[in-house]
Amino acid sequence: MQWVKVLGGLVGASALLGLGIILGRFAIPKGADAPAPGVSVSQDLDLEILETVMKQLDASKIRENLRELSREPHLASSPRDEALAQLLLHRWRDPESGLDAAEAPTYEALLSFPSRERPNRVAVVGPTGTILFSCRQSEQNLTGEQGGPDVVPPYAAYAPPGTPQGLLVYANRGTEEDFMELQTQGIRLEGTIALTRYGGTGRGAKAVNAAKHGVAGVLVYTDPADINDGHSSASQTFPNSWRLPPSGVERGSYYEYFGDPLTPYLPANPSSFRLNPDTVPGFPPIPTQPIGFEDAKILLCNLQGTLAPAAWQGALGCDYKLGPGFRPDGDFPAERYFWVNVSVHNRLELRNSSNVLGIIRGAVEPDRYVLYGNHRDSWVHGAVDPSSGTAVLLELSRVLGTLLKKGTWRPRRSIVFASWGAEEFGLIGSTEFTEEFFSKLQERTVAYINVDISVFANATLRAQGTPPVQSVIFSAAKQIPAPGLDGLSIYDNWIRYFNRSSTAYGLVPSLGSLGAGSDYAPFIHFLGISSMDIAYTYDRSKTSARIYPTYHTAFDTFGYVDKFVDPGFSSHQAVARTAGSVLLRLSDSLFLPLNVSDYGETLRNFLQAAQRDLGVLLEQHSISLGPLVTAVEKFEGAAAALGQHVSALQKDTPDPLQVRMLNDQLMLLERTFLNPRAFPEERYYSHVLWAPRTGSVATFPGLANACSRAMNTSLGSAAWAEVQRQLSILVVALEGAAATLRPVADL
C-alpha cells in the first residue's frame, strides 16, 4: 500500500476542511481544533514539552535498539532487512507508544550481488595459469561475527562480471590526474590491472578513469595511512582498538548516480518504464574488486618500476613503486612474468525493497510536513552505518509516540518518520519516494532532517545543511549539555572543534554543505527542500581517518560501538536530543525557524570568490559580473526586509493567514534555486548553489565548472558561451529568490 492510501485510510468519516495532509488524502478530523483538556496542541513551541522530550530520551534504550538492529547482517532486500522493516512497523503501531499510522511501501529496484556459486577472486598467476597467491575472499573471523552465511563477501556493487588479467600497476587514488601521471612516467596502461586506494574520488570514478586509459580491471583497498593513522598490525587494530584490521574490506556501490538504475526520474513501481540493464549508464565499465590492506601489501610491496611520488606513499611498510609487474627479487619467482587475475562474477537482480513510514498528523497545519529519515539497510551488521541512526530514530519516535498516545501533545505540523530501503546501493528508497511524490513533497515539505550515522565517534557534534537551517540547529545545540563536559553545551563544545568567522555573528560553529553521501541528496538536489544531516564525530586533531575505520566492513558490530565508538551511548543520546529538538522546533513553532538571511552570507562569499579568482578572466572575455552583484544585493535586501517583518509579527498577535503566507515564503525559498536545465550532464542535480563543483574556485558551482572547462579555449568558443549561460541562470535564480521573499502582494 502506498503512503497516500495510508493517509487516506485515516480520514474515515472525518470532515474535510480543505487542508490535505501528507499527499492530499488526509484532512483534520472533526474536533481537532478543540482538543481535550490537558492536551498540548501546538500553536507555538511548548518549552515544557520540549524539556520533557529531552529528559525522556534514554541512552540505555538506544543501546538496546542498536543491539537488536545490528544482531544480524541486513543487506538490502534480505530476509533480515525485511524483518527489521516489520520491527519498525510493530513499534510505530504500538498502542502505547506508536504513531498515527505506519506503512511499508515497496519498490522493485535493480540491485547487484556477488555470486555464491562462483565467488569473486583476485590471484597472482603464472604463464601456465598456476596460482602463486590468492587474496582473501572473506574477512578474518575475529569475533565470531564475520563468518556467518549472511555475511556478504567483499565486492564492488554494480561492477560488471569479467576475468581480466594483466600486469599490475599502482595508480594511487585512481583520479584522472593519477592515471595521467602514470602515462607521463612512460607506463603503458593498456591491458593492465590498476591497484588503487580509497579516497580522492568516488568509488565508481576510479573504474571510469581507469577504463579511459585502457586499464582492464581495478582493485581498491584502504591504506592504513588513510584510515588507521599508519597503524596496521593485528595488535594495533580491531578487536584490540577501533582501527581497521588487516583483512578488513570496504564494500560499497560503484554506481555513478543515485536512485534505481532502471527508472531514472520515475518511481520503481511494477508499471514504470525500465531501461535495458545492458545499456544502463553509470555502471563501472570494467571489472572491479575491493581487497584488504594485508593483501594489497603483498601486491604493492612486490611491484617493480619507478618509485611512486611522495604523495602516493602509504603505510604498508615498503616503498610504493608504480610497476608494471613484479620485481624479480620479490616474493614471486624471478625471471618470469606473473599477472594479476581479477575474476568478478557479480549479477544484477530485480529485488523488492521497502521503505517504512510513520506519521504523526499535525493539529493545525496537517498539510505541512517535517520529514525525519535514516536508511535501514547495511552491508553487513552495520552497527554504526546505519543502525546507530536507526537506534536514535526508534527512541525519538518512542518518546513522541508515548506523548501522542497519552493525549498530552500533538504537533502543529505533521511529522513523517522514514526508514529508507536500499540506501547503500545508491540512495534508492529515498530517491524513489521523492520521484513518486515529487509535486506534493515540493508543495508541502518544510524541511528534511537526516540522521544516518548518528555517531562516528564521541568528540563533538557535526552538522551539515543548507544555510536556513543553521539557526535552528544552533538554537537546539545551545540548550543541550555536552556529554561528559560539565557546564558546556553541545554548541559550546562544537565551536571548539569546528568553527568559522561569520560577518553577521562572529565566531560560530561550521555548518558543512550537503553533497550526495546520504538520503538528504534527493531532497535538496532534486526537490529543493531545506535539509540537514546531524551526527557526532571525532576530534580531527587526534586522527586523520577519512571516516570511522570499520566503515562498510564485517567488523562494524554492536561490540565495536559499545567498546570503542560510544561506551555508555551518551553521544547517541546527545544526537537524539539535538535532532529531536530541531524536529520539535520545526514542527511546533508558530513561525518556521528558518533564517533566510543566512543565505545572504553564503551568496556574498560565493560572489567575492568569483570576483577575486575569476573576475579578470571574465573581463578578458567581455563577461561582466555586474548583474550577479545586483542580484546578490537584491536578495540581501529582500531577506533583511522579511526578517524585520517576522520580528514585527512576533511582537504582535498576527492573523493566521499572515503567518501561513510568511511561513510559505520561508519554506519555498530553497525551491527558487532549482533549475532542471542548469546541469544537463548531472542526473537529479538542479540546485544551482549546491550542485557538484569540479572547478577549483569556491564559488557558484555552475560558474566555477564552466570557467574551468573554458579556461584554455578560444574567445567566442562554445565553452565561453556556457559560462555566460551559467551566469544568466544564477542571476535569474537569485532574482527569483528575492522576489519570493518580498511581500506576497508585491508583484
Side-chain angles (χ1 to χ4, degrees), residues 383-696:
V384 177
D385 181 14
S387 299
S388 64
T390 308
V392 166
L393 168 69
L394 284 171
E395 175 60 2
L396 180 56
S397 62
R398 179 194 69 83
V399 170
L400 294 181
T402 300
L403 293 175
L404 183 72
K405 293 300 185 183
K406 286 181 177 179
T408 56
W409 166 83
R410 181 171 290 281
R412 178 184 182 89
R413 303 176 185 91
S414 295
I415 294 172
V416 181
F417 290 108
S419 172
W420 308 118
E423 185 269 0
E424 294 293 8
F425 287 84
L427 318 182
I428 288 175
S430 55
T431 302
E432 302 314 301
F433 178 75
T434 58
E435 289 169 335
E436 183 162 16
F437 302 113
F438 178 89
S439 296
K440 294 296 183 182
L441 292 170
Q442 271 204 327
E443 291 165 4
R444 302 179 181 187
T445 304
V446 168
Y448 175 66
I449 303 166
N450 195 69
V451 182
D452 181 341
I453 297 172
S454 68
V455 178
F456 291 84
N458 58 6
T460 180
L461 188 73
R462 183 227 65 184
Q464 300 167 296
T466 53
V469 307
Q470 173 180 269
S471 60
V472 69
I473 298 175
F474 285 1
S475 295
K478 287 176 180 178
Q479 301 301 316
I480 303 168
L485 298 169
D486 291 342
L488 282 184
S489 69
I490 286 177
Y491 180 93
D492 297 330
N493 186 51
W494 183 12
I495 206 170
R496 295 164 60 204
Y497 289 93
F498 303 104
N499 59 67
R500 67 180 182 87
S501 180
S502 164
T503 55
Y505 309 111
L507 193 69
V508 296
S510 299
L511 185 75
S513 58
L514 296 173
S518 189
D519 289 298
Y520 49 74
F523 290 95
I524 180 59
H525 297 302
F526 184 42
L527 296 186
I529 291 169
S530 294
S531 301
M532 69 197 81
D533 185 77
I534 298 172
Y536 240 68
T537 192
Y538 36 80
D539 181 350
R540 289 286 185 185
S541 70
K542 294 182 178 179
T543 178
S544 61
R546 62 183 180 87
I547 197 167
Y548 73 96
T550 64
Y551 174 69
H552 286 190
T553 74
F555 305 106
D556 180 2
T557 61
F558 173 79
Y560 179 78
V561 175
D562 200 35
K563 184 175 181 180
F564 299 114
V565 176
D566 188 25
F569 280 70
S570 60
S571 295
H572 283 78
Q573 183 184 49
V575 171
R577 287 172 169 169
T578 305
S581 179
V582 170
L583 176 64
L584 284 173
R585 290 167 190 272
L586 287 166
S587 66
D588 286 2
S589 297
L590 179 63
F591 293 96
L592 287 175
L594 300 173
N595 188 350
V596 296
S597 290
D598 287 340
Y599 242 130
E601 190 170 0
T602 297
L603 298 177
R604 178 62 59 177
N605 289 340
F606 280 1
L607 174 62
Q608 290 173 346
Q611 291 172 317
R612 181 183 63 247
D613 298 328
L614 299 175
V616 172
L617 179 66
L618 292 171
E619 285 180 8
Q620 292 172 352
H621 290 79
S622 302
I623 299 174
S624 172
L625 288 173
L628 184 59
V629 172
T630 302
V632 170
E633 291 171 348
K634 285 181 180 179
F635 179 90
E636 291 171 331
L642 185 67
Q644 292 170 359
H645 182 45
V646 172
S647 297
L649 287 179
Q650 286 174 329
K651 296 173 184 176
D652 200 357
T653 305
D655 177 87
L657 186 57
Q658 287 182 299
V659 177
R660 175 75 168 199
M661 289 190 297
L662 189 146
N663 281 339
D664 280 355
Q665 290 175 279
L666 299 174
M667 179 183 76
L668 295 172
L669 170 67
E670 203 79 59
R671 320 294 197 265
T672 66
F673 296 119
L674 297 183
N675 186 320
R677 297 183 182 275
F679 313 107
E681 73 283 3
E682 298 282 0
R683 186 178 292 179
Y684 296 108
Y685 290 104
S686 54
H687 200 300
V688 300
L689 303 182
W690 304 119
R693 179 171 56 82
T694 56
S696 59

Side-chain angles (χ1 to χ4, degrees), residues 186-219:
I187 295 174
R188 186 175 181 273
L189 294 173
E190 290 81 2
T192 60
I193 304 297
L195 176 62
T196 66
R197 59 205 267 191
Y198 276 116
T201 191
R203 298 184 194 100
K206 298 177 191 295
V208 171
N209 295 333
K212 290 178 183 177
H213 294 272
V215 173
V218 172
L219 303 177

